[in-house]
Structure formats: structure tokens, C-alpha cells
Amino acid sequence: MELISIKSPSEIEKMRRAGRITAAARALAGKMVLPGVTTLEIDTAVRKFIRSQGGEPSFLGYAGYPGSACISVNDEVIHGIPSKKVVLKEGDIVSVDVGACVDGFHGDCAATYPCGKVSPEAERLIAVTEQSFWEGIKFARVGYRVSDISHAVQQYVEAQGFSLVRDYVGHGVGAKLHEPPEVPNFGPAGHGPRLMAGMTLAVEPMVNQGTWEVKVMKDGWTVKTLDGKLAAHYENSILITDGEPEILTVAEE
Ligand code: MF3
Ligand code: CO
């Protein structure tokens, strides 16, 4: 089994810098979610912003991925490829996932944004997805194990009548975008590695309105819900501490 890295104080400072830039890129993308905007325009803005801050988009070229952001609309769950053909329209829900590498360390975060006015059920899906992250990280503390986070996310989401994607999971994050351990959003509590101060994790519930099952499109990337219903995503990179977890992907005021 691969070891989970414990970050030193100077590495944590780099993770904070990467996290701030990543979160600011997410916020910038979120503000661009408006009718008539293409997902390629958002991607270009994200790439330019990250580079203007001295970072490099983590996703660009990762396993051949062509964008700096993943932008997934409506029934697209994750890994939507930005395109000038995808023009956002009123009522869409738009998941934006961004990563930035700064001084050798990555930040990774995502959120789902409404385009103009969306249906009450879409609004509720977005809110439940974000809240499930906060429910999960109540257990992101020394003394718990990875699957305590997973279980808390699942309990909360399923009680709200939505389902959790199983084919994709959260992960450790640091000098590499994806590090051990895997952080699923489902499963029984009390399993997986014990959490220790200095671990950095990307916790990222992917929540479907209908079935949890998904399919990968012919482009090799875009993941959609199998039943064509809506999906939402929310992610932050966090640091396990001796107390409350620290959110690394927060934008400066
Ligand atoms: N943010 C995604 C994750 O957390 C990574 C996107 S895949 C990439 O795993 F290829 F686009 F980088
Ligand atoms: Co991630």
C-alpha cells in the first residue's frame, strides 16, 4: 500500500497558496456562469487567471485532458470538456472543477453554480451537495478514519433523497494532484486509513438527482448520469490538523 504523505509546515504553506489561487479561480468561473457564455470562455479565463497568479493549471495535459477546468452541465457529473459549442442557458446547473499547481503543490476544488434562475429541485440538489461536504468533514479529524467522512456524506445525501456517485472518489492531494488515500463518498464508517495531522485531502461529493449510476461519453472524459437526471459536485482541499480541519481552497477576502 502506498503511504499517505504528511506535509511539513513549509509544504502546508505552499498548499495554502495553491489553495487560495485555486479557490479564486473557482469563484471567477462561478461569476461567469451566465446565459450566453460558452464553457470555453470560462476555461480560458481560468487558465489566464491561474497563470497570472504564478500557477499552472493542474488539469491541463493531465492524462491528455485538454482543458484547465472541467465544466459539466446538467446531467454531466464531472470531467465535462470546455467547448465553444456549449453555450450556457438560463436554468442550467454548471459544475466547475479547477486545479492549480503553485510552487510544486496542487489545490483542487469544485462547485456547482446556477445559470440564472433554476428549478427549486436543482437549487436543492446544489445546496445538498455542498452541505454534504460540510457534513463529511465533521469527521475529518484525528481519531477518525477516512470512511467516517464517506459514511457521513452518504447518510446526509441519501436522507435528502439523492444518490452518490460510486465510480469516482475524492483523494489525497499535494505534490501530486491525486495521492493516496482514496476518499469515497459512500460506505460503512470505521474503515480505511486513520486520519493524522498534516494529511491533505480533496473531499468531493458527486451527487445525482436520480440513480447513482453514470456513463462515460465517447469523448473519453465526460461523465453523465445514466438516467439523464441532474448532478452536482462540490469539492475543497483540506488539511487535517489537531483540531478542526482547515479548508485550503478558500479565496482571500
Ligand atoms: N478535479 C478532478 C479530480 O478531483 C480532476 C480532473 S481530471 C483532469 O479528480 F484530468 F481533468 F485533471
Ligand atoms: Co479532486
Side-chain angles (χ1 to χ4, degrees), residues 59 62 65 70 79 97 108 171 177-178 204 221 235:
F59 302 172
Y62 184 97
Y65 185 72
C70 299
H79 300 171
D97 190 346
D108 186 6
H171 50 93
L177 178 62
H178 294 135
E204 51 175 317
W221 283 103
E235 173 181 30

